[in-house]
Every structure is written in structure tokens, then in C-alpha cells.
Amino acid sequence: MTDKSLSKAAIKYLKGISHGLNPYVTIADKGVTENIINELETTLDHHELVKIKIRTDREQRSKLIDEVIKTTQATEIQRIGQTLTIYRANPINPVYELPK
């Protein structure tokens, strides 16, 4: 689900940017491990907008997505097939200036 704090224009803007991104993180059979969370935290702090490839079946993928979003406190921007795009603003060093 998308976060209500982001406007529709901001979500549309981030979706447009995400099309050109390659996945930074891949989650496979082991699921969301401590190493995956550490990598996501670092990547979100640096890039803000992160594409994740989730290589599991549909039911498992939905649970993993919920776990990733809850753990990282990020906003789901888009989910297509095995690819999830999340966003978390960096208050110290912002990468994107979101439209209102």
C-alpha cells in the first residue's frame, strides 16, 4: 500500500524515476535476513528510492514485502511481478525534491 503522506503527484514522479533504475537488492529463498535489512537501510539512506527483486512465489512475496516495508519504515511506491519499489526520504541529505 502507498503511504498517505505522499501526494499522488509525488508517487507518480517517483514511479517515473523508478523505471530507469535497476534492482539494488535481491531477496531469495532465505527471505529477509539481517544482512538484507542492513543493505536496504544503507541503500535507502543513500538513494532514497530503491528497487528490490523478490525471487519467491506469490504468497511468500506478499509476506516479504510487508516485512520489508514494516522493518525499513519505507513507503511502497510500486509493485509489479517480482519487483518492488520503495521510498524513504533522507532528511539530512535529500536526493529528490518531490512535487506537492
Side-chain angles (χ1 to χ4, degrees):
M1 304 289 161
T2 54
D3 189 352
K4 301 299 182 208
S5 64
L6 289 177
S7 68
K8 287 184 180 185
I11 291 170
K12 185 176 180 180
Y13 172 75
L14 291 170
K15 281 182 183 180
I17 292 171
S18 72
H19 286 294
L21 297 178
N22 290 322
Y24 288 109
V25 178
T26 300
I27 301 173
D29 297 338
K30 292 184 181 179
V32 180
T33 63
E34 187 176 330
N35 289 339
I36 295 285
I37 294 300
N38 290 338
E39 185 65 28
L40 280 171
E41 290 291 337
T42 303
T43 307
L44 281 166
D45 286 343
H46 188 262
H47 296 285
E48 291 185 330
L49 188 64
V50 176
K51 212 179 233 189
I52 305 167
K53 200 60 131 166
I54 303 176
R55 302 277 187 186
T56 60
D57 63 45
R58 189 177 295 199
E59 290 177 20
Q60 181 72 14
R61 194 177 319 133
S62 181
K63 292 175 187 173
L64 290 175
I65 289 171
D66 292 340
E67 185 178 349
V68 165
I69 291 171
K70 183 179 177 186
T71 306
T72 62
Q73 298 297 306
T75 301
E76 178 183 325
I77 298 300
Q78 189 171 30
R79 142 186 349 196
I80 299 176
Q82 295 183 353
T83 305
L84 169 69
T85 306
I86 58 176
Y87 171 80
R88 184 177 71 192
N90 184 339
I92 299 168
N93 190 16
V95 176
Y96 301 106
E97 186 175 326
L98 299 179
K100 300 281 180 203

